[in-house]
Amino acid sequence: NDLNINLKRILPQNPSQFCEGDSLKFLIDPDYLTSYPPLNYLWTNLVTTSTTWAKETGDYGVRVSNAAGCRSQLAPVNLSVIPTNRPAIYGKDLYCFNEEVKLSTVDDSYHTFEWEINGTITANGDKLNQFLSPGTYAIVLKSYDGSGANCIDSSEVFHITVLPALTPPVITANVPQPYCEGLPITFTANSPDALVYNWSGGQSGPTIIVNQPDQYKVTITDVNGCKVADSTAINPLPDFSHFMTGCYCFPDGEGAPI
């Protein structure tokens, strides 16, 4: 038997799209909970109360009945839930001093992105390229979908560290300056941060012995792969090959050796 009460519809009738993780309350218009007690309810999501909370895409209808078995079926309302897009951050988590931080995510051309560094919005787009001072930073990427629902989802916090500057190597020699070509000169580089020493001539290690005029650059590398360099030089001896030799005749006819 039909339940002879004026149950009009389920509210809301035209629910807006909403985002995954949100919920929407459906109820019956008008509310006969007090006018015609007791009534029994069975929603399509198997909820048996007078209202139901919807969280998933689908049709939400309800059958209302009384103790005598009379019932009324209300037409379902369709709900569309926009799935969220939790973005992932890709990139290194450790950077050397004065190295550009480069992070990225997957761009699907449907979402827009916003980068936050320690809670401050600093960039938009699918890439973050920025120089940061030494320290530890919490990076969060927010994703906005292209629907009218403006759904927002955030990545997990991505922690990065920017290391302080290395101590540049100090180059000393076994002879005083200026360094001139001829005798062998021993150059020794020293830095408390150095794990590896590499010289511009291809030598490795903190000490080299050289005697040719040239620029000698040493680059140190620390345990994290960060680098810093310094250089010194051996100067060439003066070139005397172009000095004049022999006699020069003065206007009075006397010659003087030069």
Side-chain angles (χ1 to χ4, degrees):
N1 296 328
D2 290 336
L3 184 63
N4 189 24
I5 58 177
N6 186 24
L7 296 176
K8 294 182 178 179
R9 56 184 178 172
I10 296 173
L11 292 179
Q13 272 289 288
N14 298 298
S16 300
Q17 294 176 328
F18 72 94
C19 307
E20 181 182 0
D22 294 339
S23 58
L24 180 68
K25 184 179 183 180
F26 284 115
L27 51 85
I28 299 172
D29 175 33
D31 184 0
Y32 284 95
L33 187 61
T34 57
S35 301
Y36 296 90
L39 296 176
N40 301 311
Y41 305 89
L42 180 61
W43 294 82
T44 50
N45 61 351
L46 303 182
V47 173
T48 57
T49 55
S50 61
T51 62
T52 186
W53 287 93
K55 295 184 178 181
E56 299 177 351
T57 295
D59 293 327
Y60 290 83
V62 63
R63 186 182 68 189
V64 183
S65 61
N66 61 11
C70 300
R71 58 179 179 260
S72 179
Q73 184 78 38
L74 295 186
V77 174
N78 181 263
L79 178 65
S80 179
V81 178
I82 304 300
T84 55
N85 173 57
R86 168 163 265 196
I89 298 176
Y90 301 96
K92 300 194 308 178
D93 59 3
L94 187 65
Y95 292 85
C96 299
F97 177 77
N98 209 30
E99 179 184 4
E100 188 176 20
V101 173
K102 294 183 178 182
L103 300 174
S104 64
T105 189
V106 176
D107 185 6
D108 59 6
S109 301
Y110 183 73
H111 294 83
T112 57
F113 301 98
E114 189 175 78
W115 297 86
E116 290 185 357
I117 301 179
N118 288 349
T120 300
I121 298 171
T122 59
N124 296 291
D126 61 324
K127 294 180 176 61
L128 174 67
N129 298 306
Q130 191 160 345
F131 289 96
L132 297 173
S133 301
T136 300
Y137 299 88
I139 313 293
V140 173
L141 179 61
K142 289 187 175 180
S143 170
Y144 298 81
D145 83 333
S147 72
N150 293 321
C151 299
I152 304 173
D153 203 356
S154 298
S155 68
E156 295 182 358
V157 179
F158 191 89
H159 294 282
I160 68 168
T161 299
V162 179
L163 298 170
L166 299 181
T167 303
V170 176
I171 302 174
T172 57
N174 62 332
V175 296
Q177 294 191 35
Y179 307 134
C180 299
E181 69 171 306
L183 295 176
I185 299 176
T186 300
F187 287 128
T188 300
N190 182 60
S191 170
D193 297 323
L195 178 66
V196 176
Y197 295 84
N198 289 301
W199 295 83
S200 53
Q203 307 95 323
S204 61
T207 300
I208 59 172
I209 301 174
V210 288
N211 60 7
Q212 296 299 312
D214 204 348
Q215 191 84 8
Y216 294 92
K217 178 181 178 182
V218 61
T219 301
I220 67 160
T221 306
D222 75 348
V223 294
N224 298 304
C226 300
K227 301 177 185 294
V228 68
D230 201 358
S231 63
T232 189
I234 294 180
N235 302 303
L237 293 174
D239 184 0
F240 295 102
S241 63
H242 300 292
F243 278 76
M244 292 184 296
T245 60
C247 297
Y248 179 82
C249 293
F250 291 93
D252 60 4
E254 297 181 358
I258 296 178

